[in-house]
């Protein structure tokens, strides 16, 4: 499973990239707004730090507007993937953009039927929002499983990108179900890394190292 970081914060992205654990980045307007910085400036910085797919979301909601924004974003850097909302106008734009060879990430997916249509339209990635499904007492993981199964049944190329991940168990379950990618917030990446026995063990090794005679 590939790991993307779900962030627009360049320091968080740099931290994860330096550990060598991320294959790409996803952003959305809410994440960019949190940085307080202009969208394109943020994207330029991310493209300098990570050499992998970087999802940048359009804000237009009509076919022509999405295509225009999508072409502009894709022209900024070869790694940009255009993030498009899962609405009818969005799917029309996905079809056009994919015919032009521009990669897309279809976002805000909450059902397998939506995911099936996104794949038919030519989406490169589909983003099921696991945490937000769980928030309304549904099962985000069941959605991931359905998408993996349906795409597998018909040999559809669209990659399942598990999004709205809130905790390490989401990552474990998504990987067991065969999600192609999990996009993970910076905090959760560090939670994946942390183990109390590692910390205790390291503390002991360092204490014992001081007892070793220097000659
Ligand atoms: O990848 C989508 C993500 O940013 C949404 O996460 O936690 O706002 O549902 P969340």
């Amino acid at each position: 499973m590939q790991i993307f970081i779900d962030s627009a914060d360049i320091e968080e992205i740099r931290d994860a990239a330096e550990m060598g654990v991320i294959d790409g980045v996803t952003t959305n307007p809410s994440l960019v707004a949190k940085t307080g910085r202009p969208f394109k400036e943020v994207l330029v910085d991310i493209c300098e730090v990570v050499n992998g797919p970087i999802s940048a979301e359009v804000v237009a909601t009509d076919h022509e507007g999405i295509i225009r924004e999508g072409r502009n974003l894709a022209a900024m850097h070869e790694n940009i993937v255009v993030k498009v909302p899962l609405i009818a106008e969005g799917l029309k734009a996905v079809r056009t953009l994919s015919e032009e060879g521009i990669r897309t990430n279809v976002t805000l997916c909450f059902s397998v039927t939506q995911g099936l249509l996104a794949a038919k339209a030519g989406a490169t990635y589909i983003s099921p929002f696991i945490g937000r499904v769980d928030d309304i007492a549904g099962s985000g993981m069941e959605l991931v499983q359905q998408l993996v199964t349906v795409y597998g049944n018909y040999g559809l190329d669209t990659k399942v990108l598990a999004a709205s991940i809130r905790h390490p168990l989401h990552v474990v379950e998504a990987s067991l179900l065969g999600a192609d990618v999990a996009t993970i917030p910076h905090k959760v990446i560090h939670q994946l890394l942390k183990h109390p026995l590692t910390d205790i063990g390291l503390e002991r090794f360092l204490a014992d190292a001081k007892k070793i005679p220097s000659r």
Side-chain angles (χ1 to χ4, degrees):
M1 184 174 70
Q2 289 199 312
I3 292 180
F4 293 177
I5 185 168
D6 194 27
S7 175
D9 181 319
I10 196 65
E11 293 312 321
E12 290 184 354
I13 294 167
R14 190 172 282 120
D15 176 60
E18 283 175 356
M19 286 194 288
V21 298
I22 54 165
D23 303 293
V25 181
T26 53
T27 66
N28 63 39
S30 308
L31 292 170
V32 176
K34 271 206 311 200
T35 68
R37 302 176 61 208
F39 182 34
K40 295 215 165 160
E41 195 180 293
V42 169
L43 282 181
V44 168
D45 282 359
I46 297 174
C47 289
E48 275 174 19
V49 172
V50 177
N51 184 17
I54 294 158
S55 289
E57 189 159 339
V58 299
V59 289
T61 53
D62 62 295
H63 182 197
E64 284 306 320
I66 295 172
I67 292 169
R68 201 176 321 114
E69 267 187 64
R71 284 178 184 148
N72 284 337
L73 289 169
M76 282 181 66
H77 195 281
E78 59 183 359
N79 283 341
I80 299 275
V81 174
V82 179
K83 210 167 170 187
V84 178
L86 215 165
I87 54 176
E89 294 293 292
L91 294 188
K92 291 177 193 171
V94 166
R95 181 183 175 204
T96 308
L97 293 171
S98 80
E99 282 170 358
E100 293 176 10
I102 294 175
R103 292 178 297 167
T104 55
N105 174 356
V106 176
T107 188
L108 291 166
C109 174
F110 293 95
S111 76
V112 69
T113 54
Q114 290 181 311
L116 180 58
L117 295 185
K120 296 289 290 181
T124 313
Y125 298 95
I126 185 74
S127 286
F129 272 32
I130 298 170
R132 293 193 196 183
V133 175
D134 291 356
D135 285 344
I136 55 163
S139 167
M141 279 308 145
E142 193 181 334
L143 175 56
V144 170
Q145 183 170 36
Q146 288 174 342
L147 289 165
V148 169
T149 302
V150 170
Y151 290 178
N153 284 349
Y154 300 104
L156 296 166
D157 290 335
T158 303
K159 291 185 186 336
V160 177
L161 191 166
S164 182
I165 280 181
R166 304 276 173 76
H167 51 70
L169 198 53
H170 276 155
V171 179
V172 173
E173 289 177 343
S175 63
L176 289 171
L177 291 172
D180 299 286
V181 189
T183 189
I184 311 176
H186 180 258
K187 177 183 151 213
V188 179
I189 291 177
H190 277 270
Q191 287 175 324
L192 296 177
L193 169 69
K194 196 83 180 154
H195 199 292
L197 290 180
T198 304
D199 295 342
I200 292 166
L202 178 60
E203 205 177 303
R204 278 193 205 144
F205 283 150
L206 295 179
D208 289 341
K210 288 188 185 134
K211 299 175 195 160
I212 300 171
S214 55
R215 58 175 184 83

